[in-house]
Amino acid sequence: MRRFASLSLLLLILAGSGLAAAVRARQQSAPPPAPRPAWALAIHGGAGTPPRDMPEERKRAYLESLSGALADGRDRLERGESALDVVEALVRRMEDDPLFNAGKGAVFNAEGRHDLDAAIMDGSSLACGAVAGLTTVRHPIELARRVMERSPHVFLVGAGAEHFADEERVERVSNEWFSTPERLEQLEKRKAEGTFGTVGAVALDRAGRLAAATSSGGLTNKKWGRIGDVPVIGAGTYADDRVAVSCTGKGEEFIRHGVARELAALVRYGERTAAEAARILVRERLREGDGGLIAASADGELVLEFNTAGMFRGAADAAGRFEVAIWSAEGSP
Amino acid sequence: MRRFASLSLLLLILAGSGLAAAVRARQQSAPPPAPRPAWALAIHGGAGTPPRDMPEERKRAYLESLSGALADGRDRLERGESALDVVEALVRRMEDDPLFNAGKGAVFNAEGRHDLDAAIMDGSSLACGAVAGLTTVRHPIELARRVMERSPHVFLVGAGAEHFADEERVERVSNEWFSTPERLEQLEKRKAEGTFGTVGAVALDRAGRLAAATSSGGLTNKKWGRIGDVPVIGAGTYADDRVAVSCTGKGEEFIRHGVARELAALVRYGERTAAEAARILVRERLREGDGGLIAASADGELVLEFNTAGMFRGAADAAGRFEVAIWSAEGSP
């Protein structure tokens, strides 16, 4: 009888631990699953301190540019284009827009020239391509895609990368082509604000594939051939079968913390949602003012998280969400 | 009575799941803790296919070089030097050794010149520095350390990085200085074997701090300004407060899988030992022939894992371990 009682006690203890584990598992898991949207998309045009007294027409220009890109991405994903094609197309579009610090409108480095970096990653295959230190490639994201698909390499820099651009007949322009009067003024003022402005996109397509792309002109007044986080796969750009991430901000901090891949690791091994992982990274690991990120998960969850005063951003999905914003007080997205 | 039976069945199921969880937890946890060695150190001189018919004197030269570096590191760690200083010193020493593909003895690129990359990371602070596309800096690892400590940046490339080297009075040499007859012969033969040869070191010091350093001449006959995994923090080099990692092999695969940081994530979030994490990455994620890695954990665990025929390597710790090896059949380390 004592033996039976002990056995019962043991069973109860084990049952309790089993139950506790079950409860923990439930607590850790995502909220009751909403139906996965057929597609989801987020874009950013950089995080930083956009002046609160920004002229109304300039604010409108930003919001219209973001809306235009977002609508373009929505239409593409609606008609079944791949996440990879969509993130490339949207980043390419934002590279041509002088409002952002990527492609046309890139900031000036210490030599009064422009240095461009970009990266793209296909979450379904882990294929990726990155370029840095470009001075004459009109669309750095296009070259990153070529590196990914048409070279045996992942990461090309400088004159060598531009030589590869010629072999691939990728469009080149003069370095002056990237210049705009606003960026020149910025160099002269050496304003901290507005040196951000990297562009990026993450998407989940109808086939359930994820992709991420990022493009940047780097830091105003940078020197010494500095490379930021954008072309460092796992730092500023990353995608796998669970989540796609594109970052913007102080590149050195994003490299140190490997933000994009760390977010994916928190989702994969730490059993966090993309939103929880993003908050841990942006609010706990990084410091206030460091920047932000956008992420899309395989469940269609979209995350737009930043610790700066603002982040130019947009989010859309198949359930009808379509939002663009600049500052944080606006609440959404 | 039926209700009691159902309850018993439920208890048994829960007990079973509790028991299974307990067994899993035991299986996943490290073996019973040995006392942590006061320090631990591993080095590598590249993974690849060292010819089995390597002349006896050349084999002896490799083993002596590895032993010399290992003994140097042992003495430094014994007398309390920091892990960071030790990994820098050992990589610097191997950069000067023409046997390895780093610094003197670096392979030739497609233009018949040498392109050098290096990175270093301090696990206790997450401070890191990386350099790529150097052509005249004698000790790339020294410049990586300067980038880490004396620039606001993390990653510098090419001419800009060499300009920074001048500001820091870091020694520069002519590009021809790196040439050796053996590497020229290799370029001519374009042998696949031996194009590996990156060097690296990971260490745990008496104060419990971890650090990692890696330096490489990249791929024989490389072109287009290709950058491999070595200077990509999180791909070829990474250290935090749990583990330090240095990789060697097909750089593109190591970037794609973010091997060094992914190993750390498996340790931190996946509750794997460094050895288990290394096996998952090297044996499951990477493909045979891709390369290998060395890792040191905060517990003093040393891992030397590779999926190539051999990896030039050495391991030592305060408990008296002191081993060097080339091929895998030797069993250890």
Side-chain angles (χ1 to χ4, degrees):
Chain A
M1 190 63 193
R2 285 239 317 263
R3 189 170 296 174
F4 179 70
S6 306
L7 184 64
S8 297
L9 186 64
L10 178 67
L11 280 173
L12 272 167
I13 290 167
L14 290 170
S17 75
L19 205 57
V23 169
R24 269 198 311 278
R26 170 159 299 230
Q27 282 172 341
Q28 281 175 0
S29 72
R36 172 176 102 68
W39 56 263
L41 167 68
I43 58 174
H44 71 76
T49 312
R52 278 282 177 184
D53 60 353
M54 185 188 289
E56 203 55 40
E57 69 200 281
R58 190 163 173 85
K59 183 179 162 184
R60 200 179 313 121
Y62 274 115
L63 292 174
E64 276 173 10
S65 177
L66 291 166
S67 296
L70 200 62
D72 182 6
R74 174 195 61 199
D75 296 347
R76 289 169 181 271
L77 288 162
E78 270 297 340
R79 60 177 185 256
E81 275 191 30
S82 74
L84 189 64
D85 285 344
V86 172
V87 295
E88 183 191 352
L90 299 190
V91 166
R92 186 185 168 100
R93 179 186 170 116
M94 289 190 280
E95 283 175 343
D96 272 343
D97 190 330
L99 287 171
F100 303 111
N101 176 21
K104 180 86 176 170
V107 298
F108 287 82
N109 66 19
E111 284 92 46
R113 289 169 59 83
H114 309 281
D115 248 4
L116 308 158
D117 305 341
I120 191 165
M121 187 156 186
D122 176 5
S124 64
S125 64
L126 297 184
C128 49
V131 287
L134 304 180
T135 59
T136 63
V137 173
R138 177 170 174 183
H139 293 112
I141 199 66
E142 179 186 1
L143 190 60
R145 175 92 185 252
R146 300 290 179 105
V147 169
M148 169 180 147
E149 293 183 340
R150 296 177 50 85
S151 89
H153 302 308
V154 159
F155 192 2
L156 302 184
V157 290
E162 303 201 317
H163 184 68
F164 175 68
D166 285 344
E167 292 188 16
E168 289 291 316
R169 301 179 185 280
V170 165
E171 183 181 359
R172 290 174 68 179
V173 292
S174 72
N175 193 259
E176 295 72 39
W177 184 87
F178 298 108
S179 302
T180 61
E182 289 79 8
R183 294 302 185 188
L184 191 58
E185 190 188 341
Q186 198 175 69
L187 174 70
E188 280 156 8
K189 290 188 185 169
R190 296 190 188 206
K191 286 195 292 187
E193 61 200 49
T195 57
F196 298 6
T198 296
V199 304
V202 294
L204 168 71
D205 65 25
R206 288 184 171 277
R209 295 166 301 198
L210 291 158
T214 317
S215 182
S216 180
L219 295 177
T220 294
N221 205 28
K222 73 181 171 189
K223 55 180 182 171
W224 299 324
R226 175 259 191 189
I227 291 184
D229 61 313
V230 169
V232 174
I233 297 292
T237 309
Y238 181 73
D240 61 21
D241 59 348
R242 302 277 192 94
V243 71
V245 189
S246 171
C247 302
T248 170
K250 290 185 185 155
E252 282 68 20
E253 296 305 316
F254 284 77
I255 294 176
R256 200 185 312 286
H257 293 282
V259 171
R261 182 182 293 277
E262 193 75 0
L263 193 157
L266 280 161
V267 168
R268 183 175 301 273
Y269 308 121
E271 291 176 21
R272 304 287 186 159
T273 65
E276 289 166 349
R279 271 194 296 273
I280 289 169
L281 286 161
V282 174
R283 309 236 163 246
E284 297 170 23
R285 305 257 180 104
L286 296 172
R287 278 173 299 198
E288 201 178 317
D290 278 352
L293 61 85
I294 55 174
S297 79
D299 299 326
E301 179 189 11
L302 291 175
V303 181
L304 303 96
E305 188 79 33
F306 52 99
N307 59 30
T308 45
M311 181 167 78
F312 298 102
R313 63 201 187 276
D317 68 23
R321 180 177 184 181
F322 190 95
E323 300 162 324
V324 294
I326 302 177
W327 290 275
S328 62
E330 296 149 286
S332 71
Chain B
M1 190 62 193
R2 285 243 314 266
R3 188 170 296 174
F4 180 69
S6 304
L7 184 65
S8 298
L9 186 63
L10 178 67
L11 280 173
L12 273 167
I13 291 167
L14 289 171
S17 77
L19 204 59
V23 169
R24 271 198 309 278
R26 170 158 299 230
Q27 282 173 341
Q28 280 175 3
S29 72
R36 173 175 102 69
W39 56 264
L41 168 69
I43 58 173
H44 71 74
T49 312
R52 278 282 179 185
D53 60 355
M54 185 189 287
E56 202 55 39
E57 68 200 283
R58 191 162 173 84
K59 182 180 162 185
R60 199 178 314 119
Y62 273 116
L63 292 174
E64 277 174 10
S65 176
L66 290 166
S67 297
L70 200 61
D72 183 5
R74 174 196 61 201
D75 296 347
R76 289 169 181 270
L77 287 163
E78 270 297 341
R79 59 177 184 258
E81 276 191 30
S82 75
L84 190 65
D85 285 344
V86 171
V87 296
E88 182 191 353
L90 299 190
V91 165
R92 187 185 167 100
R93 180 186 168 116
M94 290 190 279
E95 284 175 342
D96 272 343
D97 190 330
L99 287 172
F100 303 111
N101 176 21
K104 180 85 177 170
V107 299
F108 286 83
N109 65 19
E111 285 92 45
R113 289 171 58 83
H114 309 279
D115 248 3
L116 307 159
D117 305 340
I120 190 164
M121 188 156 184
D122 176 5
S124 65
S125 64
L126 297 184
C128 49
V131 287
L134 304 180
T135 58
T136 62
V137 173
R138 178 170 173 182
H139 293 113
I141 199 67
E142 180 186 0
L143 190 60
R145 176 92 186 253
R146 300 290 180 106
V147 169
M148 169 180 147
E149 292 183 341
R150 295 177 51 85
S151 90
H153 302 309
V154 158
F155 191 2
L156 302 184
V157 292
E162 303 201 319
H163 184 69
F164 176 68
D166 285 345
E167 291 187 19
E168 288 291 315
R169 301 179 185 280
V170 166
E171 184 180 359
R172 289 175 67 177
V173 293
S174 72
N175 193 259
E176 296 71 40
W177 183 87
F178 297 109
S179 302
T180 62
E182 289 79 7
R183 294 301 185 188
L184 191 58
E185 190 186 341
Q186 198 176 70
L187 175 69
E188 281 156 6
K189 289 187 185 169
R190 297 190 187 202
K191 285 195 293 188
E193 62 200 48
T195 57
F196 297 9
T198 296
V199 303
V202 293
L204 169 72
D205 66 24
R206 287 183 171 279
R209 294 166 301 197
L210 291 159
T214 317
S215 182
S216 179
L219 295 177
T220 294
N221 204 28
K222 73 181 169 188
K223 56 179 181 173
W224 299 324
R226 175 258 191 190
I227 291 184
D229 61 316
V230 169
V232 174
I233 297 293
T237 309
Y238 181 74
D240 61 21
D241 59 348
R242 303 277 192 96
V243 71
V245 189
S246 170
C247 302
T248 170
K250 290 184 185 155
E252 281 70 18
E253 295 306 315
F254 284 77
I255 294 176
R256 201 185 310 286
H257 293 281
V259 171
R261 182 182 292 276
E262 192 75 0
L263 193 157
L266 280 161
V267 168
R268 183 175 300 272
Y269 308 121
E271 291 175 22
R272 304 287 187 160
T273 65
E276 290 166 348
R279 271 194 296 274
I280 289 169
L281 285 161
V282 174
R283 311 237 162 244
E284 296 170 24
R285 304 256 180 107
L286 296 173
R287 278 173 299 198
E288 201 178 317
D290 277 351
L293 61 84
I294 55 174
S297 80
D299 300 327
E301 178 189 13
L302 292 175
V303 181
L304 303 95
E305 188 77 33
F306 52 99
N307 58 30
T308 45
M311 180 166 79
F312 298 103
R313 64 200 187 276
D317 68 23
R321 180 177 184 181
F322 191 95
E323 301 162 323
V324 293
I326 302 177
W327 290 276
S328 62
E330 296 148 283
S332 71

